[in-house]
Amino acid sequence: MLETIILLGAPGSGKGTIAEELTNVTEYIHVSTGDMLREAVKAEHEVGLKAKKYMDEGELVPDDVIMEIVRERLDRGPDEAHYMFDGFPRTIEQAQLLDAVLTRDGRGRVAHVFLLEVPEEVVVDRLEGRRVCRGCGAVYHVRNIPPEKEGVCDECGGELYQRKDDDKNTVLNRLDVFRKQAEELINYYDGQGVLRRIDALDREKTVQAILAVLNDSTETHDQD
Ligand code: ADP
Ligand code: ZN
């Protein structure tokens, strides 16, 4: 069975970082709508031009734009890939449309939705202090994960910058948007019996907790 899993969580809950760690030790292909949108903005693609104003304000990009990039990504394959979505779906409409696409592709239902739970003060601190490398995309934090030399990437020497949507006001708006949408999504996936709540304060423990669920469900499948 081709598995689809989802990382759900507030901005700053660590979805991107955890997803990267999971790709190192599993077969899942990481699909981040946020990353795809940022790439489209940088490349000045049509999708990027449509999305930019929403992203800069911390608002959600319209569902039709998101579904277009997700469908396009899945169509690019490979067909036998197991996908791990990060930052998608963000609305109940996106969740329903995703189910429709998965059915279309014979992929069945979403297997697990990991809800990364982190206290709100922590996510605000993480986002405000976050710095990203322009060269390689490595992520730092001004206090928690400082680079050796301020403003310079340890990995590639690239310039570190603050994402435009990581300034205080936009961060608070993104959290607000998340709170409004999350409840519906959580109920939707809880209703399907696939929601797994994960205490996501510590990175290593978060990865281990997710792997434990994934391994457990593989074993159950193998016995079928
Ligand atoms: P975060 O989860 O930290 O906000 P992302 O990189 O996932 O970061 O998203 C950044 C921005 O991209 C969002 O604020 C939103 O404007 C847009 N975005 C990303 N994914 C979606 C989505 N599935 N639906 C609508 N907008 C999205
Ligand atoms: Zn770098």
Side-chain angles (χ1 to χ4, degrees):
M1 191 60 181
L2 290 168
E3 280 214 346
T4 306
I5 64 172
I6 292 170
L7 300 182
L8 180 64
S13 59
K15 300 184 296 287
T17 313
I18 301 295
E20 282 308 316
E21 296 217 0
L22 289 171
T23 55
N24 294 333
V25 292
T26 64
E27 304 276 290
Y28 294 95
I29 294 185
H30 176 201
V31 176
S32 159
T33 44
D35 287 348
M36 291 195 287
L37 290 169
R38 277 184 291 279
E39 277 160 31
V41 169
K42 203 166 149 192
E44 298 181 355
H45 286 156
E46 200 191 330
V47 162
L49 299 178
K50 283 188 211 157
K52 186 172 188 307
K53 62 174 187 288
Y54 300 98
M55 298 176 74
D56 286 349
E57 303 288 316
E59 294 293 330
L60 291 183
V61 173
D63 290 338
D64 57 328
V65 177
I66 299 294
M67 292 314 297
E68 186 184 322
I69 62 169
V70 169
R71 276 201 203 91
E72 194 265 331
R73 178 63 192 82
L74 294 182
D75 289 344
R76 220 170 348 120
D79 285 347
E80 63 279 10
H82 302 276
Y83 288 104
M84 166 169 49
F85 290 104
D86 143 23
F88 170 85
R90 282 271 227 287
T91 63
I92 200 83
E93 288 76 18
Q94 290 179 18
Q96 287 163 343
L97 290 165
L98 173 63
D99 281 348
V101 178
L102 295 178
T103 308
R104 176 200 75 173
D105 291 351
R107 292 177 165 275
R109 296 197 148 211
V110 173
H112 306 283
V113 177
F114 296 100
L115 175 62
L116 306 187
E117 299 187 301
V118 179
E120 197 144 298
E121 351 37 289
V122 176
V123 301
V124 172
D125 174 73
R126 282 184 185 173
L127 292 171
E128 282 183 327
R130 174 161 70 179
R131 297 293 181 274
V132 186
C133 173
R134 263 191 220 290
C136 70
V139 178
Y140 296 85
H141 187 283
V142 288
R143 288 176 303 278
N144 309 342
I145 324 166
E148 264 171 42
K149 184 158 174 253
E150 196 187 319
V152 181
C153 177
D154 293 343
E155 306 291 324
C156 77
E159 181 202 355
L160 302 187
Y161 76 105
Q162 182 175 37
R163 258 170 60 174
K164 199 164 175 184
D165 58 351
D166 279 348
D167 72 80
K168 176 118 195 171
N169 284 333
T170 317
V171 162
L172 295 179
N173 191 40
R174 281 157 69 203
L175 282 172
D176 226 31
V177 169
F178 174 75
R179 263 185 247 111
K180 286 198 187 105
Q181 303 287 347
E183 198 181 318
E184 255 193 336
L185 274 178
I186 290 169
N187 291 339
Y188 182 77
Y189 286 120
D190 216 7
Q192 294 189 1
V194 295
L195 190 81
R196 326 278 176 231
R197 291 176 183 272
I198 306 283
D199 175 351
L201 201 49
D202 178 87
R203 173 161 57 167
E204 206 31 54
K205 284 187 193 144
T206 305
V207 173
Q208 291 312 325
I210 293 175
L211 289 175
V213 173
L214 293 176
N215 289 334
D216 200 36
S217 78
T218 327
E219 277 163 27
T220 330
H221 279 303
D222 289 348
Q223 287 161 10
D224 289 347

